[in-house]
Amino acid sequence: MPRPLRSLRSLLTLLLLVLAACGRPTPTPEPPPNIVFIFTDDHSARAISAYGSEINQTPNIDRLAAEGMRFANCFVTNAICAPSRATILTGLYSHANGQLTNQETFDGSQRTFPKLLQEAGYQTALIGKWHLKSAPTGFDHWQVLIGQGPYYNPPIRTATDTTVIPGYTTNIITDLSLDWLQNQRDPARPFMLMVQHKAPHRRWEPGPDHLTLYDDQTIPIPDTFFDDYEGRASPAAEANMRIDENLTALDLKIVPPNNLTEEQLEAWNAAYGPKNEALRERPLEGEEFARWKYQRYIKDYLRTVASVDDNIGRLLDYLDQTGLAENTVVIYTSDQGWYLGEHGWYDKRWMYEESLRTPLIVRWPAAVEAGAVSYDMVSNVDFAATFLDLAGATIPADLHGRSLKPILLGQAPDDWRDSFYYHYYEYPASHCVQRHYGVRTERYKLIYYYLVDEWELFDLHEDPDELTSVYDDPAYADVVSDLKAELQRLRTELNVPDDDRPSGDCTFDAEGWDGFEAG
Ligand code: CA
């Protein structure tokens, strides 16, 4: 490279760093990029081959990773559906946006990044799962599932009406997204489209194309599947989210979903009928039954993931064919991680790695190096600032997150965070996971279960599966002391209220399934 050009590039890099440090938007190429945010519900990174999955293949998500940047350490602030969505929209932790659990109604009058993008001249659209109870605000166009929404034949709500659309929900959400891209948006203006799937959320009902996928395979069982929870504080053993105890007949497809058309039910019964009959004829028990439940659970989960991946391929093909791909930022992420049998569990909620961690892949051919991997500690609380930065809009100073754009451009700031605050609130409630907050650093994780006043400390280098708390080990006394100080520093910086201790009884919303009734 000729010297003057190199100097100019260095100067520009310096300018970008200075601007980023000031909290101002990083300069964006003209025209500003479109943003397609593809969002799933409960997708563990360990069910994505780009993240090294040993149990499935996701060629279309992998394509995004191969052509963009994969984030190896993306953490959520509160690992449950509605709070994650509220954090993404507002760029704030749960205590500041009011969505502590799935129970509250989201306050749609507050500042959100879609509203700020509208002010910056973007068209905004939301299609798929919303799950925040109040009507969406900040969108020029929206078509959403009601609540969790079903996997088949979903009612779709708009600003004016609700219509049942026959078919498989993952396909339908993609159909509606493609229709908006093709026929409804203004091609003269940049857009931000949120494509939000229900899948692979419970009850993991596969689509018509994947009903028998994996039938001829045995999926490897995680090393920690038969965890006895020794060596940790009391909450882990008390949670109701065990594959061997808490899955229901509907979860396990012993009975079919109750909203299928005759044709859909026929295909369903052709796939599950013979397998259920075999179990009826040879009932299982004990460890053998637990292993059988795991196979049925994990295969159904991965079948719904396969449909998501196919449909991402349809969306990427459209962007390629229309020439939109080059200057469209495509994000793939999920609302939090998920247990694929680790510790014997399904579900999420914990600050343990499997649910704290969520996949994040960003492709932007015009600016992001293909095949890049970031190990920076990033979070869903950073998304709002990132989208505003991408659009060239001003980033409000009081957001809790920071723009990932410098990282995407290969210029990670020197002062990027090296500790991360987490806080889970939904207790008492289904699954009985104790409220907790904590801090994670590159090596350690300190967790405080504040309703029962118990602590855990994990040394992630020595114990990546988090099987043994070293909180009481004298060798870690200094680490505990330092992390407690850091935890308090983060809580002060984020203005977390001290008084966050409700009371109530632990409940569980569904009976586990033990086997066929006699006779
Ligand atoms: Ca979720």
Side-chain angles (χ1 to χ4, degrees), residues 116-251:
L116 298 176
L117 285 184
Q118 283 180 320
E119 287 173 17
Y122 273 62
Q123 315 165 70
T124 60
L126 162 70
I127 293 168
K129 184 169 175 180
W130 172 243
H131 198 235
L132 288 171
K133 297 186 182 175
S134 54
T137 55
F139 296 97
D140 300 314
H141 174 93
W142 55 269
Q143 295 173 283
V144 298
L145 300 176
I146 297 170
Q148 296 282 0
Y151 271 99
Y152 281 85
N153 313 317
I156 298 285
R157 181 181 169 201
T158 70
T160 53
D161 62 8
T162 299
T163 311
V164 172
I165 302 185
Y168 189 60
T169 300
T170 308
N171 298 338
I172 291 166
I173 288 168
T174 309
D175 295 342
L176 296 173
S177 300
L178 290 171
D179 181 59
W180 184 78
L181 286 169
Q182 178 83 46
N183 303 315
Q184 300 190 52
R185 70 187 171 92
D186 171 6
R189 287 196 292 145
F191 65 84
M192 189 283 297
L193 167 64
M194 303 179 91
V195 183
Q196 306 204 149
H197 290 289
K198 175 200 173 59
H201 191 277
R202 194 180 185 185
R203 309 182 183 273
W204 323 292
E205 294 168 11
D209 298 339
H210 304 100
L211 287 168
T212 58
L213 183 66
Y214 306 116
D215 262 4
D216 56 350
Q217 294 177 40
T218 300
I219 310 283
I221 209 160
D223 293 342
T224 61
F225 184 73
F226 293 104
D227 193 348
D228 60 6
Y229 313 114
E230 292 294 315
R232 270 145 294 169
S234 67
E238 290 167 8
N240 288 329
M241 45 193 277
R242 294 187 54 85
I243 288 171
D244 63 356
E245 288 180 5
N246 302 123
L247 292 177
T248 68
L250 270 171
D251 291 331

Side-chain angles (χ1 to χ4, degrees), residues 191-327:
F191 65 84
M192 189 283 297
L193 167 64
M194 303 179 91
V195 183
Q196 306 204 149
H197 290 289
K198 175 200 173 59
H201 191 277
R202 194 180 185 185
R203 309 182 183 273
W204 323 292
E205 294 168 11
D209 298 339
H210 304 100
L211 287 168
T212 58
L213 183 66
Y214 306 116
D215 262 4
D216 56 350
Q217 294 177 40
T218 300
I219 310 283
I221 209 160
D223 293 342
T224 61
F225 184 73
F226 293 104
D227 193 348
D228 60 6
Y229 313 114
E230 292 294 315
R232 270 145 294 169
S234 67
E238 290 167 8
N240 288 329
M241 45 193 277
R242 294 187 54 85
I243 288 171
D244 63 356
E245 288 180 5
N246 302 123
L247 292 177
T248 68
L250 270 171
D251 291 331
L252 291 165
K253 318 297 164 12
I254 300 303
V255 293
N258 59 13
N259 69 330
L260 301 183
T261 64
E262 212 166 294
E263 193 185 344
Q264 289 163 349
L265 185 60
E266 201 175 311
W268 187 278
N269 285 335
Y272 286 95
K275 293 183 276 189
N276 288 341
E277 196 50 41
L279 182 65
R280 188 184 290 276
E281 285 167 4
R282 184 178 168 273
L284 304 173
E285 54 187 39
E287 189 180 309
E288 198 184 10
F289 196 19
R291 289 179 185 277
W292 179 91
K293 286 181 180 178
Y294 169 77
Q295 290 299 323
R296 177 145 297 186
Y297 156 71
I298 195 69
K299 288 179 183 180
D300 284 337
Y301 180 93
L302 296 178
R303 288 166 181 144
T304 68
V305 169
S307 175
V308 166
D309 192 71
D310 286 354
N311 276 284
I312 289 173
R314 293 175 63 204
L315 210 48
L316 297 183
D317 287 347
Y318 174 82
L319 296 176
D320 283 345
Q321 287 155 11
T322 52
L324 284 167
E326 178 69 10
N327 198 32

Side-chain angles (χ1 to χ4, degrees), residues 20 27 39 71 96 115 143 154 210 244 308 311 368 375 414 499 506:
F39 191 54
F71 288 82
K115 292 180 187 176
Q143 295 173 283
H210 304 100
D244 63 356
V308 166
N311 276 284
V368 176
Y375 294 92
D414 288 340
D499 181 21
C506 195

Side-chain angles (χ1 to χ4, degrees), residues 41-42 80-81 85 201 335-336 348:
D41 195 324
D42 297 351
I80 185 167
C81 306
R85 288 151 204 271
H201 191 277
D335 57 351
Q336 58 339 266
K348 53 249 180 182

